[in-house]
């Protein structure tokens, strides 16, 4: 029996090794992230462990495929120094209310979210293409909620984007503030915010607290911290 058990054990190990070799890269947590990897936990995991070098390579590929249009920006010094940031001009066919500064991870995560989730969700749920994203900015040299004794905000390093609304191809403009409780746009906005959780470290919206009533906060801190409904007294540790 011991000999048979050993043979079975060796066979199982051999099968596992053989299966691992043929495992698609997007199912392999140790394979590098690809722009074609589907949304999911593994893609989120790979986004969180990106090296600066790999992020730059993927961002260049995303530019070449017109998933995003970025411009290099010189490093800055001062109270909130910035290094290795880019200026995002558009997300391919989706324009912006204005350009914004972003770290490489924020730019890449945003490009994947817009093209893999936001665009198809908008077409399916709203019956029109996503045309423009309105935002309140990304970089601001400040502490969380402007509190003097709080830690620095993600915005102080261009690691977060605040989205305030969307414009559709049919001309419809939907603000997060008014659209969140609307019977038509509300479910779509909730679907967008929920889908963003697979790309960002934290995704906060109107149900998080009063400070986010008019925008989505999409930041790189944490891992999948996307509370859908938290009392307005919550302090917001991931800002």
């Amino acid at each position: 029996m011991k000999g048979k058990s050993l043979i079975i054990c060796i066979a199982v190990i051999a099968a596992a090794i053989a299966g691992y070799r043929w495992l698609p890269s997007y199912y392999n947590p140790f394979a590098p992230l690809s722009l074609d990897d589907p949304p999911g936990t593994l893609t989120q995991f790979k986004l969180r462990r990106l090296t600066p070098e790999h992020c730059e390579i993927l961002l260049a590929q995303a530019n070449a495929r017109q998933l995003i249009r970025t411009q290099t920006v010189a490093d800055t010094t001062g109270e909130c120094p910035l290094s290795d940031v880019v200026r995002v001009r558009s997300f391919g066919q989706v324009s912006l209310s204005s350009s914004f500064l972003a770290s490489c991870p924020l730019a890449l995560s945003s490009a994947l979210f817009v093209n893999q989730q936001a665009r198809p969700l908008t077409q399916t749920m709203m019956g029109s293409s996503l045309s423009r994203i309105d935002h309140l900015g990304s970089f601001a040299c400040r502490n969380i909620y402007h509190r003097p004794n709080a830690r620095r905000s993600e915005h102080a390093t261009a690691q977060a984007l605040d989205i305030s609304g969307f414009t559709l191809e049919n001309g419809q403009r939907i603000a997060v503030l008014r659209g969140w409780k609307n019977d038509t746009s509300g479910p779509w906005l909730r679907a967008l915010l929920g889908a963003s959780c697979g790309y960002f470290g934290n995704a906060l919206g109107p149900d998080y607290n009063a400070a986010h009533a008019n925008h989505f906060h999409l930041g790189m801190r944490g891992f999948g911290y996307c509370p859908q409904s938290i009392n307005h007294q919550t302090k917001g540790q991931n800002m």
Side-chain angles (χ1 to χ4, degrees):
M1 286 295 294
K2 290 184 178 180
K4 289 183 179 180
S5 298
L6 180 61
I7 292 173
I8 293 174
C9 198
I10 292 173
V12 170
I13 293 173
I17 293 174
Y20 177 81
R21 292 181 60 186
W22 293 102
L23 192 69
S25 62
Y26 51 84
Y27 285 138
N28 183 350
F30 303 105
L33 177 70
S34 164
L35 294 180
D36 296 315
D37 285 359
T41 303
L42 284 181
T43 294
Q44 183 181 21
F45 170 74
K46 292 179 182 182
L47 278 169
R48 306 311 301 154
R49 61 190 288 266
L50 273 179
T51 64
E53 295 76 19
H54 190 201
C55 187
E56 290 181 7
I57 291 172
L58 288 176
L59 189 59
Q61 293 175 359
N63 271 276
R65 291 170 56 169
Q66 298 184 348
L67 302 179
I68 192 173
R69 184 164 65 92
T70 63
Q71 175 185 354
T72 57
V73 177
D75 294 350
T76 63
T77 58
E79 189 176 351
C80 294
L82 294 178
S83 60
D84 300 321
V85 298
V86 297
R87 181 166 292 279
V88 179
R89 298 288 185 183
S90 69
F91 293 112
Q93 298 179 30
V94 180
S95 65
L96 292 164
S97 54
S98 62
S99 63
F100 66 90
L101 294 174
S103 66
C104 182
L106 176 64
L108 181 63
S109 296
S110 300
L112 291 177
F113 163 63
V114 170
N115 288 281
Q116 290 185 346
Q117 296 280 21
R119 291 181 63 194
L121 279 171
T122 301
Q123 187 66 56
T124 299
M125 300 184 70
M126 299 300 289
S128 183
S129 301
L130 180 61
S131 176
R132 191 178 83 164
I133 293 175
D134 298 326
H135 67 87
L136 303 175
S138 57
F139 173 68
C141 186
R142 63 173 177 83
N143 295 345
I144 295 174
Y145 295 132
H146 301 276
R147 294 169 181 165
N149 297 323
R151 64 174 175 171
R152 282 297 191 191
S153 165
E154 291 176 291
H155 291 291
T157 52
Q159 289 268 50
L161 175 65
D162 289 344
I163 294 178
S164 59
F166 305 87
T167 300
L168 309 188
E169 193 66 36
N170 62 12
Q172 188 176 10
R173 299 182 65 181
I174 302 170
V176 172
L177 180 62
R178 295 185 178 181
W180 188 254
K181 295 182 179 181
N182 182 275
D183 291 341
T184 300
S185 60
W188 165 67
L189 289 173
R190 284 174 170 79
L192 290 181
L193 183 59
S196 71
C197 193
Y199 301 87
F200 300 93
N202 63 91
L204 313 177
D207 285 344
Y208 181 62
N209 62 14
H212 294 81
N214 66 340
H215 69 278
F216 296 162
H217 171 93
L218 307 179
M220 302 310 301
R221 284 181 186 163
F223 186 92
Y225 182 76
C226 309
Q228 294 301 304
S229 181
I230 292 183
N231 186 279
H232 71 279
Q233 296 294 332
T234 304
K235 293 183 179 181
Q237 293 299 310
N238 287 14
M239 284 288 290

